Amino acid sequence: MAGVPVAFIGLGLMGRPMAFHLLKHGHAVRVFNRNPAKTAGYAEQGGVVCATPAEAARGAKIVFTCVGDGPDVQQVLFDEKTGATREASAGALFVDHSTIAPEAAQQIHARMDGRWRFVDAPISGGQKGAIDGTLAIMCGGAPADFDEAEPVMRSYGKKITLVGGPGMGQAAKACNQILVVNSIMGVAEALMLARRLGADPAKVREAILDGAARSWSLEVLGPKMIAGDDSAGFFIKHQQKDLRIVLESARAKNQPLPATALIHEIYKMLQARGGDKKGNHCLYRAVQIMGGEDWRAD
Ligand code: NAP
């Protein structure tokens, strides 16, 4: 499917490559980013760069968002002057790829009030998945709305699943984030122990990568830990936002998540050392600090 008029709002680490994929797949894309510098390159590829979310939504059948937390999504959709719903056609479909609380997504579904439609569609696969166009997308909403958005999301998504009704995409994403951070923590501990034992961490990674310890974290983030590369594919500040969502959702249901709660605390130490804009794999720096070495983000 090509030629669908769409808008894409939020051209950060994830949104920027996703919007380029939409253009490459022949869709008519109008983009907006708060910091205009991040819109560089879209006009040259046939995109239309807009000054507000409202302007981007003009004429779009589907309006995609990929911003920060719940209040950011509310702002780009519903701001009284510049929000996308100001200029969206009646019945337009909104698809949000940000990670927000399931309850926040349900509030947005309700706020559409029958005038527009909404699918919560958080993503997984990291910046690499966005660049390669291989994201996993977990969706919550009405089946007919999912069916309309799914062929367009194929531009950058590989595994696209309707999990259930409103908010259930975000519920799946919360579960995903538990597994992501626990997996990163395991890789960080394993590679640090390899170093302490005098083994070459790169060789250890190579030796175990295709065994039972195989994981996305070991494959994609392991090399960054080994190289001492702290740059972000996913900022610690966003990872902490996600863990806050996970822990608040769990607390509301009286479900303890002890391992995830501990990792949330460990990330706080990295934040106190200036790590907000470092990558979420910097859990290996926390392990290093616990072993007696020092680290601060520069
Ligand atoms: P990012 O690089 O920080 O980008 C966030 C984007 O949202 C920026 O373009 C920012 O605009 C825009 N934005 C934030 N708040 C806004 C507001 N109130 N009004 C207008 N624009 C606003 O983050 P990212 O890594 O792309 O992540 C985006 C979302 O995807 C987050 O919810 C994150 O949790 C989720 N996610 C990220 C990853 C990953 O690996 N990076 C993976 C899965 C899901 P400015 O440029 O003007 O600041």
Side-chain angles (χ1 to χ4, degrees), residues 13-273:
L13 292 177
M14 299 299 280
R16 199 174 144 75
M18 292 163 77
F20 273 123
H21 280 299
L22 289 169
L23 280 171
K24 248 185 280 154
H25 281 77
H27 298 297
V29 188
R30 297 167 70 83
V31 296
F32 167 78
N33 197 71
R34 186 175 52 185
N35 170 358
K38 291 185 192 166
T39 60
Y42 288 99
E44 291 79 351
Q45 304 273 329
V48 177
V49 175
C50 300
T52 62
E55 190 185 321
R58 203 177 292 156
K61 279 194 144 178
I62 310 179
V63 178
F64 295 99
T65 47
C66 188
V67 288
D69 203 350
D72 303 310
V73 182
Q74 294 264 5
Q75 188 181 357
V76 297
L77 294 185
F78 300 115
D79 183 89
E80 283 187 6
K81 289 201 177 106
T82 60
T85 53
R86 294 304 118 205
E87 299 228 15
S89 320
L93 177 58
F94 289 84
V95 175
D96 179 38
H97 291 307
S98 322
T99 303
I100 67 175
E103 302 75 23
Q106 286 159 351
Q107 282 164 13
I108 294 171
H109 276 274
R111 231 178 136 177
M112 291 290 161
D113 201 23
R115 295 169 69 191
W116 305 283
R117 298 166 295 135
F118 185 65
V119 172
D120 53 291
I123 48 184
S124 180
Q127 190 190 26
K128 181 175 180 343
I131 291 168
D132 295 348
T134 56
L135 291 170
I137 310 178
M138 45 223 92
C139 302
D145 297 340
F146 172 80
D147 289 345
E148 188 178 328
E150 196 263 358
V152 181
M153 293 192 289
R154 285 260 160 242
S155 305
Y156 44 74
K158 192 167 167 201
K159 176 83 180 163
I160 308 176
T161 309
L162 179 63
V163 180
M168 292 304 107
Q170 294 294 352
K173 175 71 185 186
C175 302
N176 179 82
Q177 293 308 74
I178 294 174
L179 292 166
V180 163
V181 295
N182 280 279
S183 166
I184 297 174
M185 192 73 213
V187 173
E189 290 187 2
L191 294 180
M192 194 57 64
L193 180 63
R195 214 180 105 191
R196 298 269 186 234
L197 294 175
D200 176 352
K203 275 283 164 205
V204 170
R205 173 183 170 275
E206 183 190 327
I208 65 180
L209 189 56
D210 288 320
R214 179 176 192 87
S215 69
W216 187 92
S217 305
L218 184 60
E219 190 183 335
V220 177
L221 299 178
K224 289 184 91 166
M225 297 186 200
I226 292 165
D229 173 2
D230 298 339
S231 65
F234 186 40
F235 294 126
I236 286 176
K237 65 174 182 161
H238 286 324
Q239 184 68 80
Q240 284 294 68
K241 178 253 303 170
D242 292 2
L243 293 187
R244 174 183 52 72
I245 289 169
V246 169
L247 294 169
E248 284 176 2
S249 299
R251 215 167 285 136
K253 299 291 177 195
N254 292 321
Q255 178 56 59
L257 300 176
T260 304
L262 175 61
I263 295 169
H264 186 49
E265 294 299 321
I266 294 172
Y267 273 123
K268 281 186 197 164
M269 176 179 74
L270 297 175
Q271 289 180 297
R273 287 169 184 249

